[in-house]
Each structure stands twice: as structure tokens, then as C-alpha cells.
Amino acid sequence: MNQNLKLLDAYPVLHTRDKDAAREAVTGVYLPNVMKTRDDKRLDVTLNAWGGHDLTVGYLTYQSETRLTMPAPEEFYHLNLTLTGGTEGFRADGKRAETSPGRTGLLLLPHLGTDLVWSQEAEQIIFRFSRPMLENFAADMMGQPVDKPINFDFGFDISTGRGASLLASAQFMATELNRPGGIADNPLVLEQLESFLMSNLLMAVPNNYSEGLLKPPPTVNLGRLKPVIEFIEANADEPITPSELARVGLMSIRTLHASFQQTLGTAPMEYLRRVRMERVRAELVANRDPDLKITDLANKWGFYHPSRFAARYRQMYGELPSETLQRHA
């Protein structure tokens, strides 16, 4: 069994050799499909999936050459990234695309049906984004309405540049969702990673809004950033996304980011992490609870990787969090 079968195994949907059961499960998680296999005896389907309406992250393999005929998803975009083997796609508008590990991926659009042929060895991570989630995020990035579907290219490169960044962020998210105590249990981090993934997707895959997404954004002065800074300070204990900060500042996400870099020398989400780290330190200094666990406090403020948290804390304050706790015990 390929090691990729461990992906998202904390969220099993089914493991079956029954074609009808497999078709029903994929329909329930993603979309309806007509499924044909070259050799039913080889069929060995594994489907693991996490998420809900706005975002679903899944791992799927058939282990038999399989053709799926699917209608237009209507309310969703599907991002397909191949881990092993390959797939060949045929879209209702006549476009054709192939996927291969670490080289190419493909996107299913809301308004077009698709046929996909999976090789026997094919395994994929599949992300399903709701239209409101992705289109509203695109509008926030540009600072202008998205008044028609995002017409992504069917096939796209994931081997270099922005495509490689998209692949890395997708694999990281799937891995961390599966880790006990990881981002699935930490809304402060999860929403940031969802935003990062959508940003990579919109920038990496050519689409009808690419010109607006890629052109240099205007910047604003510190005075215009003041409401954003005050919002971060007042709400650092809540899940905050770049879209939310951009709306507070009445600007696009890209203008927000460029203005923070130009004026404060840091990204807005990095500024947020600094504020949260300051809150961690304040609680360590004021702590009177002998049973306080530093890991629990770090998780509360959105730092879910203990070693990275400790290294970052020491970089900022010249000591480990445990040393701060001991000095003020």
C-alpha cells in the first residue's frame, strides 16, 4: 500500500471494493458521477475527507483504471492535485488536460461538466471550494466585485513558481489537518491557512481576473492603516483573516499587504502573530496557575507547533517560554 494512503486517514469516509458504494461516497463528498472501471476486480477505493460546505479537503484513489463522468459542480470549484499515477480530463467546452505528480494539476469549474480518466496508480488530493468562499476572497484581494465565475485554465503547471507554492501549501494543509492537535482544532490558524491556499490558487492558475490580481497594488499611509492595527489589537484572540482586515481598512488584500510592508516593514498576518506572541508573554508573566501548560497557552493564541513556537519566542524575547514562566513563578 502506498504511503500516501495515510493522508487524511484521521477522517475516513470509506475503504471498499464495491463500485456502487464508492460512487455514492464520492457523490456525497464531492459531486454526482457515472463511474466505469476497466477491471472491477482491481477496484480498491479509499476516500478520506475533512471539511464542510465551504471547503472540503479529501484524498481519493481507485487502484483501478477508472472513468468518471461528472455534471457541472454548479456551486463549487474543484482543485485536483495528483500524488501518484495520473489523470486525463475532458471538459464540456472541448478542453483537455492531464495531471502528473508534482508537474500539473487541473480545476473543475462550476458551470462545466467534466470526464476524468484515472490511471490504476492514481491518487489525488482534491480541494472543493464553495463559490461564495473563493469568489468573495478574490473580490477582497482585488478590491473590486467578482461578478462572473472565475474562469480558471483547465490544466496548469505546479512544478515551478506560484504553482509550486500552491502545491506545497495544499500538501501542508492536508498533512497538518491530519495531525492530532493540529490546525483542525485551531480556528486561529485554520482560517489563515485557508486564506493562504486561496491566494496561492488565484495567483498560480491563470484566469479571467489574473490581470487585476497580478498588477502592482496601490499603497496607503499609516493613518489609513490605523483602524486595521486597532482591530488587530482588540481582536487578537479571535480568528482573523486577511479578507476581514482588508474590509476593516476599506482596501483590497493586496493593498493591505503592500502598505503594511512599506509602512511597517512586515506583513499584516505577521503583525498579528507578533501581537499574539505578546499576549502569550503577558499571560506567562502574570500566571499564578502551577498547572499551566505552555503548549495549551500557545495553542490558545494560534501557535500549534511547539518547537517553532519556542524558537520564535526566544528570537523575540531572548529566552524560552519555560524560562519566562520560571522567573515569574
Side-chain angles (χ1 to χ4, degrees):
M1 180 176 293
N2 192 290
Q3 65 177 358
N4 286 324
L5 292 181
K6 297 178 181 178
L7 266 179
L8 295 166
D9 62 359
Y11 308 96
V13 176
L14 95 163
H15 181 199
T16 186
R17 292 181 177 275
D18 183 87
K19 185 186 294 187
D20 291 335
R23 183 175 58 249
E24 290 177 9
V26 172
T27 294
V29 172
Y30 287 112
L31 75 168
N33 62 96
V34 175
M35 175 182 165
K36 297 180 180 179
T37 58
R38 179 179 289 261
D39 185 352
D40 288 355
K41 293 181 180 179
R42 289 184 176 272
L43 189 68
D44 189 8
V45 181
T46 297
L47 173 61
N48 303 325
W50 168 93
H53 180 77
D54 279 335
L55 176 63
T56 297
V57 185
Y59 164 87
L60 179 61
T61 183
Y62 290 96
Q63 296 298 295
S64 176
E65 185 176 312
T66 302
R67 186 181 188 102
L68 302 177
T69 299
M70 299 167 291
E74 296 184 356
E75 293 302 316
F76 299 98
Y77 297 87
H78 291 75
L79 168 65
N80 292 26
L81 299 172
T82 297
L83 302 169
T84 62
T87 63
E88 186 176 13
F90 305 89
R91 208 165 64 180
D93 61 356
K95 297 291 179 62
R96 176 187 169 278
E98 295 181 353
T99 68
S100 59
R103 298 184 56 129
T104 51
L106 60 81
L107 253 156
L108 277 59
L109 299 180
H111 58 290
L112 291 171
T114 310
D115 278 21
L116 290 179
V117 180
W118 293 54
S119 71
Q120 179 182 327
E121 305 83 8
E123 305 173 39
Q124 285 196 350
I125 311 175
I126 304 171
F127 291 77
R128 188 186 75 170
F129 302 89
S130 74
R131 284 190 61 181
M133 181 185 195
L134 189 58
E135 292 175 8
N136 288 341
F137 185 82
D140 288 340
M141 279 193 70
M142 296 184 293
Q144 66 183 58
V146 170
D147 51 11
K148 54 179 117 175
I150 306 170
N151 191 23
F152 290 105
D153 282 3
F154 190 22
F156 54 91
D157 179 26
I158 54 173
S159 63
T160 59
R162 294 188 179 98
S165 180
L166 170 61
L167 176 61
S169 61
Q171 291 177 323
F172 178 79
M173 185 170 192
T175 300
E176 288 299 317
L177 281 170
N178 210 48
R179 189 169 66 84
I183 60 174
D185 302 321
N186 196 327
L188 297 186
V189 178
L190 180 58
E191 291 199 8
Q192 292 182 39
L193 190 52
E194 289 174 348
S195 296
F196 182 59
L197 180 66
M198 288 189 289
S199 176
N200 279 334
L201 172 60
L202 290 163
M203 301 291 279
V205 185
N207 61 78
N208 52 327
Y209 293 99
S210 289
E211 183 178 355
L213 290 163
L214 296 174
K215 70 180 181 181
T219 57
V220 299
N221 59 28
L222 182 59
R224 284 283 308 280
L225 293 178
K226 186 177 180 182
V228 180
I229 294 170
E230 291 175 344
F231 182 86
I232 289 174
E233 296 281 352
N235 298 278
D237 59 339
E238 299 290 338
I240 296 176
T241 65
S243 290
E244 189 172 13
L245 294 180
R247 287 192 289 270
V248 169
L250 302 177
M251 63 189 74
S252 71
I253 292 175
R254 297 173 65 245
T255 290
L256 175 76
H257 190 275
S259 299
F260 260 76
Q261 289 287 2
Q262 177 176 286
T263 305
L264 300 173
T266 188
M269 303 313 287
E270 177 63 22
Y271 185 91
L272 172 61
R273 284 188 285 272
R274 289 182 187 177
V275 171
R276 286 174 173 166
M277 189 67 81
E278 291 170 1
R279 304 295 168 84
V280 171
R281 182 171 176 81
E283 289 201 34
L284 288 174
V285 170
N287 177 67
R288 297 297 178 264
D289 179 4
D291 297 321
L292 175 71
K293 294 182 179 179
I294 293 175
T295 301
D296 291 343
L297 181 59
N299 286 343
K300 169 188 171 183
W301 286 102
F303 302 101
Y304 65 94
H305 196 292
S307 61
R308 292 176 189 169
F309 162 72
R312 182 181 180 86
Y313 186 96
R314 181 164 58 181
Q315 182 182 32
M316 288 183 65
Y317 301 112
E319 63 182 7
L320 291 170
S322 57
E323 295 171 331
T324 302
L325 189 62
Q326 290 170 2
R327 285 196 304 105
H328 295 275

